[in-house]
Amino acid sequence: MKFSVFQLSRIGGREKNEDRMGYCFTREASMFMLADGMGGHPEGEMAAQIALQTMSSRFQREAKPRLPEVAPFLSRAVKAAHQQIVRHASARAMLDTPRTTLVVALIQGGQLYWVHCGDSRLYVMRGGQLLARTRDHSYVEAQNRVGMPLKGVNRNVLFTCLGSAVRPVFDISGPLLLREGDKILLCSDGLWSCVEDKRIVLALSENPVAKAVPELVDEALKNGGAHADNVTALALEWEGSSHRADAAKDGFTQTDTMSLEGFASTIQSDDLEPTGGGLDERAIDRSIEEINQAIQRSIGRRR
């Protein structure tokens, strides 16, 4: 299994970055995640962090090195993430619970599955065309589906998320058999609300992910202006099981050289204080870079 991946997060015009992202993988399965902590509720960054750490720990425990069944795993893991957020709030007697969106892509056996809750999105591109996109759990999206007028409907209002007082609604899709060159993007609404879908598809179709992601993030920040939301994106290009001599040079992650029980993850450890604050933009970038380098060194030693 082989893929290239690039991830980037910017704070925009907000006081702090409440987005979190990362990926983890074994020799035979890989999982990519993005969560957008929701403003208007306390500790959004904590909710996003808990969601990713819960998903990652479940993946590490069950992918040995592959999951027996992918869709049931995703369902259990999302529910567990929601419960962990609620438990966090209950343990601290919080009057309101932290809340977050979540979108996850999981690849196993060359097949893509995905799950999402809220309005963080997943795009799948093939041959310059948009093959699939998640549909937001928002009132705007719901009314648009049935042809109802959208005037006066707030785009930011969601009808479900993780950490809410009611059981979250989430959609699981797949499997989709991937082809070499397919590209997958996970992003927060800070990106897709400021950059049109056709522009997202074009940028990723014409450029490597390491070039397309920074361009799209910069464009979203520019279009969003002084009050731009946090902008976070994680994109990957699927190379399947191909073996290329220049793999190390062009930044591909080669998983089939890992030991049978090997597990690697870019998910940050819980460095957040329960009362808020969180990691600043530079700390997030530094953590992502350090972890990615460590993974590449680890994989290199096994070759």
Side-chain angles (χ1 to χ4, degrees):
M1 184 171 64
K2 189 175 181 182
F3 58 87
S4 61
V5 60
F6 190 88
Q7 50 187 344
L8 183 63
S9 186
R10 291 288 180 261
I11 195 170
R14 302 300 173 88
E15 292 184 0
K16 58 184 177 180
N17 193 339
E18 296 186 301
D19 293 353
R20 294 292 182 270
M21 63 181 168
Y23 60 96
C24 50
F25 54 89
T26 68
R27 182 178 177 179
E28 296 186 23
S30 54
M31 185 169 68
F32 307 84
M33 299 162 283
L34 185 147
D36 180 355
M38 296 176 63
H41 301 277
E43 299 187 18
E45 72 280 14
M46 180 63 76
Q49 184 82 27
I50 291 171
L52 265 59
Q53 288 180 213
T54 303
M55 297 289 297
S56 178
S57 63
R58 289 255 171 172
F59 180 81
Q60 181 176 12
R61 185 160 61 242
E62 298 187 33
K64 297 293 187 180
R66 60 188 292 122
L67 298 163
E69 294 180 287
V70 176
F73 163 79
L74 289 173
S75 179
R76 292 193 305 271
V78 170
K79 291 175 184 176
H82 169 72
Q83 292 166 357
Q84 284 294 102
I85 296 169
V86 173
R87 188 175 295 116
H88 169 84
S90 177
R92 289 156 182 77
M94 299 175 68
L95 297 178
D96 189 16
T97 55
R99 305 184 187 194
T100 185
T101 68
L102 178 68
V103 60
V104 177
L106 200 155
I107 301 173
Q108 180 170 283
Q111 297 189 106
L112 169 68
Y113 299 77
W114 63 95
V115 61
H116 80 289
C117 178
D119 64 353
S120 292
R121 289 184 178 177
L122 174 142
Y123 295 79
V124 184
M125 278 73 67
R126 174 178 293 168
Q129 301 295 319
L130 180 61
L131 193 62
R133 173 175 81 75
T134 54
R135 297 299 168 183
D136 310 328
H137 294 126
S138 66
Y139 290 103
V140 165
E141 187 81 70
Q143 291 193 203
N144 188 46
R145 284 185 184 181
V146 296
M148 294 180 64
L150 303 179
K151 186 177 180 180
V153 181
N154 188 338
R155 176 192 68 79
N156 296 314
V157 178
L158 306 180
F159 60 79
T160 190
C161 62
L162 300 188
S164 62
V166 297
R167 182 179 300 177
V169 174
F170 54 89
D171 294 326
I172 297 176
S173 302
L176 172 66
L177 184 62
L178 292 174
R179 297 179 184 173
E180 184 173 341
D182 284 355
K183 292 180 180 178
I184 302 162
L185 170 70
L186 282 65
C187 66
S188 62
D189 66 332
L191 192 150
W192 65 255
S193 66
C194 293
V195 181
E196 294 184 351
D197 283 3
K198 61 182 180 181
R199 168 63 183 142
I200 292 173
V201 174
L202 180 64
L204 282 161
S205 299
E206 293 184 343
N207 300 292
V209 293
K211 184 174 186 294
V213 170
E215 287 183 357
L216 289 171
V217 169
D218 287 345
E219 189 172 330
L221 289 172
K222 180 181 178 180
N223 294 343
H227 301 290
D229 195 358
N230 306 148
V231 181
T232 301
L234 187 161
L236 67 119
E237 179 177 352
W238 179 245
E239 289 293 319
S241 57
S242 63
H243 293 264
R244 302 190 308 181
D246 61 347
K249 181 178 67 176
D250 55 24
F252 281 82
T253 297
Q254 183 85 40
T255 66
D256 55 7
T257 57
M258 298 177 72
S259 63
L260 190 63
E261 296 298 325
F263 171 82
S265 174
T266 68
I267 308 302
Q268 298 160 280
S269 61
D270 189 356
D271 292 321
L272 303 175
E273 293 296 330
T275 54
L279 297 175
D280 62 23
E281 184 182 8
R282 290 183 179 179
I284 292 171
D285 290 341
R286 187 166 57 251
S287 176
I288 290 170
E289 181 64 23
E290 289 174 353
I291 297 170
N292 283 341
Q293 290 177 0
I295 287 175
Q296 293 300 326
R297 289 195 298 269
S298 176
I299 292 173
R301 286 195 295 269
R302 297 188 180 104
R303 289 175 178 170

